[in-house]
């Protein structure tokens, strides 16, 4: 960790990816704020109507909240803000993340580790035996994870997950591509879309 502003003690970690290319090495560095876990919904720039709608969804005992966007769009920040909205003393909240970007109090967080055979799908199957109220999936990447998450959302669990997509409509197409079929009404809430309706 490197202090960004010493007078305010803000810290960041770096995610580095490298690839050998014809003329040497290519690096991509993402700066990840350690403050991601401290954001609240009201910090995300939503209108009061959007905030009210999202809070109503977060308060439900079951269903799925799917946060969509491209890399760096704030999916993880939004995910943590949603988890911070919950009373994690009375709700059993379990997360599966790759990697864990912020430690949340009163939350059971599992980090994916393919070398140790801890995958999103295997962790989700294990979580379902832990009597969770809320299941957080850091990212839906594959068919098995998508299927388990959707089934959990239909059997009394609130599932909060992210997916790399350009829009909510693209997320539906992506889920269909992963073999997930919808037999229920899909509602969407775009953070900056004032057309949300019940």
């Amino acid at each position: 960790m490197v202090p960004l502003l010493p007078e305010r003690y803000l810290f960041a970690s770096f995610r580095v990816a490298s690839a050998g290319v014809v003329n040497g090495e290519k690096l991509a560095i993402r700066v990840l704020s350690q403050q991601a876990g401290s954001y609240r919904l009201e910090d995300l720039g939503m209108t009061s109507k959007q905030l009210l709608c999202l809070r109503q969804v977060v308060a439900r005992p079951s269903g799925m909240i799917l946060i969509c966007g491209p890399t760096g769009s704030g999916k993880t920040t939004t995910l943590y803000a949603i988890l911070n909205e919950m009373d994690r003393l009375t709700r059993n909240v379990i997360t599966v993340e790759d990697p864990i970007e912020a430690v949340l109090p009163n939350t059971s967080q599992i980090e994916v580790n393919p070398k140790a055979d801890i995958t999103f799908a295997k962790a989700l199957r294990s979580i379902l035996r832990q009597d969770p109220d809320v299941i957080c999936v850091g990212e839906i990447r594959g068919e098995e994870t998508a299927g388990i998450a959707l089934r959990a959302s239909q059997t009394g669990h609130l599932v909060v997950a992210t997916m790399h997509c350009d829009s909510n409509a693209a997320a539906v197409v992506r889920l269909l591509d992963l073999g997930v079929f919808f037999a229920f009404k899909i509602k969407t809430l775009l953070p900056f879309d004032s057309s949300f309706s019940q």
Side-chain angles (χ1 to χ4, degrees):
M1 279 197 241
V2 176
L4 294 177
L5 300 171
E7 67 277 3
R8 291 182 56 201
Y9 300 103
L10 298 177
F11 289 89
S13 59
F14 297 89
R15 187 179 301 168
V16 180
S18 66
V21 295
V22 172
N23 296 320
E25 194 77 14
K26 181 185 181 313
L27 289 177
I29 302 172
R30 283 190 63 201
V31 181
L32 304 171
S33 170
Q34 296 298 304
Q35 286 188 294
S38 64
Y39 283 103
R40 310 290 302 186
L41 289 178
E42 55 269 11
D43 300 328
L44 301 182
M46 295 182 191
T47 66
S48 56
K49 182 179 179 182
Q50 292 164 339
L51 204 51
L52 176 65
C53 290
L54 185 53
R55 283 189 166 132
Q56 289 172 347
V57 173
V58 170
R60 292 181 182 167
S62 64
M64 179 181 275
I65 300 171
L66 191 57
I67 304 157
C68 307
T71 301
S73 62
K75 294 183 302 294
T76 301
T77 300
T78 304
L79 182 109
Y80 283 137
I82 287 171
L83 294 177
N84 284 331
E85 188 72 15
M86 299 175 183
D87 180 357
R88 296 188 307 264
L89 289 173
T90 61
R91 293 175 93 175
N92 182 9
V93 178
I94 305 176
T95 73
V96 183
E97 305 172 63
D98 181 23
I100 294 172
E101 293 187 22
V103 176
L104 298 174
N106 306 310
T107 304
S108 300
Q109 293 175 273
I110 300 168
E111 187 164 273
V112 169
N113 183 351
K115 290 180 182 176
D117 202 30
I118 302 171
T119 64
F120 278 107
K122 287 183 179 183
L124 280 174
R125 281 195 298 275
S126 174
I127 285 171
L128 290 172
R129 295 187 290 271
Q130 302 294 319
D131 192 29
D133 297 309
V134 179
I135 300 169
C136 171
V137 182
E139 181 184 347
I140 293 178
R141 296 178 182 165
E143 180 179 340
E144 189 175 14
T145 302
I148 295 169
L150 186 61
R151 283 191 298 279
S153 74
Q154 295 173 324
T155 57
H157 308 281
L158 180 63
V159 176
V160 183
T162 72
M163 180 177 278
H164 285 279
C165 293
D166 288 334
S167 67
N168 288 355
V172 173
V173 172
R174 176 74 178 121
L175 287 170
L176 290 170
D177 185 49
L178 291 172
V180 175
F181 299 98
F182 301 97
F184 53 90
K185 184 178 177 183
I186 298 173
K187 293 183 179 182
T188 63
L189 169 66
L190 299 172
F192 301 102
D193 180 2
S194 60
S195 65
F196 177 78
S197 62
Q198 291 291 344

